[in-house]
Amino acid sequence: MTTFLRDTVTVFSRELAPVLRQPVGLLIEMGQPLLFLFLFGVLLDGAVGSSWQWFVPGILVMMCLTGPMSAGYTLLVELIGGSMERLLVTPLNRTAMLVGRTMKALVTFLVQAVLIIVLALPLGFELHAAGVLAGLAQLMALGVGLGALSFALAVKSAPDGTLFYIVSQSVLFPLLLLSGVLLPLDSAPGWLDVLGHVNPVTYVVEAQRALFSGDLTAPSVLYGTVAACLVAAAGLYTGNAAMRRGVTA
């Protein structure tokens, strides 16, 4: 366990170092979420009740999908460039390689999420501290699973990376659109409503909106937590298996 923790910290520090050297990259990555926050959120004012309590959680879920799901890109670059091979000849624990990289993606997301919340306060967003903390914890669990799945896809896509781009883009947008992140699905046709309820992200979105409104006991919170934990478990299992298979391949 001591070796695993040490290796995890080593990988995490290695992955985080470029971000610390160029923190402006975090703001550049937030260009689209900030655009949605300041422009799209204003358009929804009054259309969905308390618009900021409804919209800010949706933005955070969108960031949780786009960030961790693209986290495998850095691993793919290392696999294609050959730098990953130099890491694999070291005694670093293979699972620690996955966990350390996932932790970096989560820390990046957490910093961006806090910034979004702070910027939303002057716009009318009401801060329910307990609900926000619970919501961020739920999103961290979801991010763990999505990040690990992204790494598994990167390993599978090497050496050309085509599969990574095709799958990540073809999966990301349906997950976003069918979860009601930006627009409510209350008036959607029946077939679209069915697809939305098959989407696990839908339950996380509903849970986030309840939590950010201060309702910690809503049934949707339980459903969203279960969905996030299932994604996390599936991602960690798949990602760990892919890392080990990729190493031995």
Side-chain angles (χ1 to χ4, degrees):
M1 180 59 68
T2 302
T3 302
F4 171 76
L5 293 176
R6 182 197 64 203
D7 291 349
T8 299
V9 172
T10 299
V11 175
F12 171 73
S13 302
R14 174 183 179 272
E15 295 297 314
L16 191 63
V19 178
L20 296 178
R21 286 196 293 266
Q22 295 181 328
V24 70
L26 291 177
L27 296 177
I28 294 175
E29 292 178 7
M30 293 180 64
Q32 187 181 63
L34 289 174
L35 184 65
F36 279 122
L37 181 69
F38 288 109
L39 297 182
F40 201 83
V42 175
L43 294 176
L44 287 175
D45 192 16
V48 288
S50 180
S51 62
W52 295 111
Q53 305 303 125
W54 189 92
F55 191 64
V56 171
I59 289 292
L60 296 182
V61 173
M62 181 179 72
M63 292 170 58
C64 188
L65 265 79
T66 56
M69 283 190 70
S70 62
Y73 175 76
T74 57
L75 176 61
L76 182 61
V77 170
E78 293 185 2
L79 288 168
I80 295 175
S83 59
M84 189 63 182
E85 294 181 1
R86 291 191 287 273
L87 275 180
L88 297 179
V89 299
T90 69
L92 281 173
N93 183 281
R94 302 313 183 225
T95 303
M97 290 184 181
L98 173 69
V99 175
R101 288 174 178 271
T102 305
M103 286 178 56
K104 178 263 180 180
L106 292 181
V107 169
T108 301
F109 162 73
L110 187 60
V111 171
Q112 294 174 330
V114 171
L115 182 57
I116 286 289
I117 293 171
V118 171
L119 292 175
L121 289 174
L123 301 176
F125 174 72
E126 297 180 8
L127 182 65
H128 300 276
V132 168
L133 291 175
L136 290 178
Q138 189 182 88
L139 289 178
M140 295 282 277
L142 179 66
V144 166
L146 295 175
L149 288 171
S150 178
F151 293 133
L153 181 60
V155 173
K156 185 70 174 177
S157 303
D160 62 355
T162 302
L163 181 64
F164 181 86
Y165 302 114
I166 293 176
V167 174
S168 60
Q169 294 303 312
S170 62
V171 170
L172 175 61
F173 289 105
L175 286 177
L176 283 173
L177 296 175
L178 293 174
S179 64
V181 164
L182 299 177
L183 292 171
L185 297 179
D186 298 338
S187 58
W191 64 269
L192 192 59
D193 184 63
V194 171
L195 291 177
H197 282 84
V198 174
N199 181 7
V201 182
T202 300
Y203 300 97
V204 177
V205 171
E206 294 174 351
Q208 289 295 302
R209 286 173 176 151
L211 289 170
F212 275 68
S213 296
D215 188 359
L216 278 69
T217 60
S220 59
V221 174
L222 175 61
Y223 301 147
T225 301
V226 171
C229 290
L230 288 176
V231 172
L236 287 173
Y237 176 81
T238 304
N240 189 44
M243 289 288 285
R244 293 183 177 277
R245 284 198 302 268
V247 168
T248 57

